[in-house]
Amino acid sequence: MPPLRTLVEGVDQTFGAKKDLILMDNNITASGRYREVIAEIRDIGFRSGATLARAGGKPVKRRVDFNQGVDARILAQSPVYLREMATICVSPLRIAFDHMGLRRVYETSIRMAADNGLRSLSNYMLYNFMDSPEDLYERMRLNITLNNELGIRIWSFPMRYQPVTLKDRSHVGKNWSRYSLRSFQIMLQATHGVVSGNPSYFVRAYGEDRREFNRLLSRPHAFIFYREHYERGPGRAVREEYEGVRSRMTDAEEAELIGVLRAQANPSPRASRAYYEETLKDKCVSMSVRKALRYHLLDTQDQVTSEQFERRHSRGQDRFLHEGLGEDERVEDAGLFDHDYSGPEARTCM
């Protein structure tokens, strides 16, 4: 790459000095010029704590962002990497955590970052690949633990895997289902794609443990989409009826219900309604499962009053979530309302 100084000075002369330096670098830590690049960043005005003077206004903090993230497997090899990184105003430091097999090097990297004063971190989490919902839950939960223990803030961004060879978002990992993927997308929609670092909010949204997380993923989507409405608002009695039905189900019936949900070829509201209505007529399906499925017919798109209730009661309930998080970090999962799925919806009664 050309010298950073040449690029930055060219921008300064053409457009005026900018407070942020965003490098779309694919794994800077793997570069043989790592220390040289960090030194150059310092020299062009982006040292730790650097500010930029504004005409007639207060100085603003400068920021360096390695936009494609750094590699925990390399960071954990030597303290030099994060010691050097701490000399520039990097914010946030992005580290990927794609599966639990990386836990040791990921946790080591986070602890080393905290030791060097790097406390604003962003964490990409791949899911829907070779992982499972339980694997994803444990990774999200670890960040909550590290936040509390180290006094840092890790913004977790789950990223749904889709093969680049597909023209749509139809891929479903072997340990996921279309239903559970949509459930998780709805959970993320409420927080603009971010997993909150607030422990109480996290437990409420994702469960106390991975078993509860799996159970939440199998809830009717209306209960997830309009959570406040069904937990604290006018829909509370309906949700309690449903919980009563689920609590009386045997392990075999629970497994049958999950199987019915997994069998959906298309989780869109319209396709789901047709699927549930057909399944409710199927005498091969146990009565308790059919009772539970009635609640899956609840709509998630047309309840305007419920949506207003949700928005009114969710304001300010998780200040930790957005405090210090820039608008450019808040994302929406583009696939939430993308239902370009195809495939047979066939089940047979044996």
Side-chain angles (χ1 to χ4, degrees):
M1 59 183 246
L4 286 175
R5 180 179 295 279
T6 302
L7 296 173
V8 171
E9 288 180 351
V11 170
D12 290 351
Q13 292 169 10
T14 307
F15 304 103
K18 302 298 179 182
K19 72 180 184 71
D20 296 338
L21 176 64
I22 300 178
L23 299 104
M24 288 176 247
D25 185 282
N26 191 4
N27 201 351
I28 182 63
T29 50
S31 171
R33 296 180 54 223
Y34 175 74
R35 298 185 72 169
E36 179 185 338
V37 171
I38 297 296
E40 188 176 12
I41 291 173
R42 290 195 301 266
D43 292 343
I44 58 178
F46 290 89
R47 290 178 175 273
S48 177
T51 59
L52 178 66
R54 295 289 197 190
K58 294 181 179 180
V60 292
K61 290 183 178 179
R62 306 198 88 170
R63 183 173 72 100
V64 174
D65 181 5
F66 293 99
N67 199 249
Q68 294 187 22
V70 292
D71 194 332
R73 295 169 298 182
I74 298 176
L75 294 178
Q77 292 177 8
S78 169
V80 170
Y81 291 101
L82 285 163
R83 192 181 303 145
E84 286 287 309
M85 190 71 72
T87 66
I88 62 175
C89 50
V90 59
S91 180
L93 177 62
R94 304 178 188 273
I95 305 177
F97 188 14
D98 289 338
H99 56 83
M100 280 300 287
L102 294 171
R103 174 170 181 163
R104 184 184 62 80
V105 292
Y106 173 75
E107 188 171 349
T108 297
S109 298
I110 295 295
R111 292 183 181 280
M112 291 168 64
D115 288 343
N116 283 281
L118 296 169
R119 301 191 173 278
S120 175
L121 300 106
S122 178
N123 177 217
Y124 298 134
M125 291 184 177
L126 183 71
Y127 72 99
N128 191 42
F129 186 49
M130 302 300 291
D131 63 313
S132 64
E134 294 86 353
D135 180 294
L136 175 62
Y137 179 87
E138 292 299 336
R139 284 180 280 155
M140 295 190 298
R141 186 78 198 213
L142 177 60
N143 280 345
I144 303 298
T145 301
L146 292 172
N147 279 338
N148 289 341
E149 179 185 342
L150 303 175
I152 59 178
R153 290 187 177 180
I154 307 172
W155 310 105
S156 300
F157 292 91
M159 298 292 180
R160 178 176 168 181
Y161 171 75
Q162 294 293 336
V164 295
T165 53
L166 286 183
K167 295 182 180 180
D168 57 34
R169 294 169 58 86
S170 62
H171 175 76
V172 179
K174 66 177 183 178
N175 297 312
W176 289 82
S177 68
R178 296 195 191 284
Y179 191 89
S180 60
L181 286 172
R182 180 166 171 79
S183 296
F184 187 56
Q185 287 174 287
I186 294 173
M187 292 177 182
L188 291 176
Q189 188 79 359
T191 52
H192 301 282
V194 187
V195 176
S196 173
N198 184 314
S200 60
Y201 186 94
F202 178 85
V203 169
R204 180 166 175 252
Y206 303 105
E208 185 68 46
D209 54 35
R210 57 187 184 178
R211 181 173 181 178
E212 187 177 351
F213 178 56
N214 259 326
R215 189 177 178 86
L216 289 172
L217 291 177
S218 68
R219 267 188 168 192
H221 286 153
F223 289 177
I224 305 174
F225 200 88
Y226 299 112
R227 191 147 191 173
E228 289 290 331
H229 175 79
Y230 285 106
E231 290 190 359
R232 302 177 184 176
R236 180 176 177 178
V238 176
R239 196 259 308 164
E240 289 177 346
E241 287 176 7
Y242 167 79
E243 295 294 351
V245 172
R246 286 291 294 265
S247 67
R248 292 189 292 272
M249 292 174 66
T250 66
D251 290 345
E253 289 168 338
E254 277 284 333
E256 183 182 2
L257 174 61
I258 300 302
V260 170
L261 296 178
R262 289 184 67 92
Q264 292 184 72
N266 189 333
S268 69
R270 182 179 299 176
S272 292
R273 175 172 289 275
Y275 174 73
Y276 296 137
E277 289 175 346
E278 189 66 27
T279 305
L280 287 172
K281 302 174 186 176
D282 190 345
K283 297 300 189 296
C284 297
V285 178
S286 64
M287 180 61 70
S288 59
V289 171
R290 280 182 280 161
K291 284 182 179 180
L293 286 177
R294 290 203 303 266
Y295 297 89
H296 287 262
L297 288 169
L298 293 168
D299 196 11
T300 60
Q301 290 190 329
D302 300 325
Q303 297 185 28
V304 178
T305 55
S306 298
E307 186 175 9
Q308 291 172 340
F309 182 92
E310 176 81 20
R311 289 175 178 173
R312 184 169 65 251
H313 286 77
S314 63
R315 292 171 184 167
Q317 68 178 348
D318 187 23
R319 294 179 182 176
F320 182 97
L321 174 64
H322 294 306
E323 184 180 346
L325 190 64
E327 285 289 341
D328 59 336
E329 292 290 333
R330 304 180 195 182
V331 299
E332 305 290 346
D333 191 323
L336 182 58
F337 298 109
D338 178 5
H339 308 301
D340 185 16
Y341 299 118
S342 59
E345 292 185 293
R347 288 188 301 107
T348 57
C349 176
M350 301 300 291

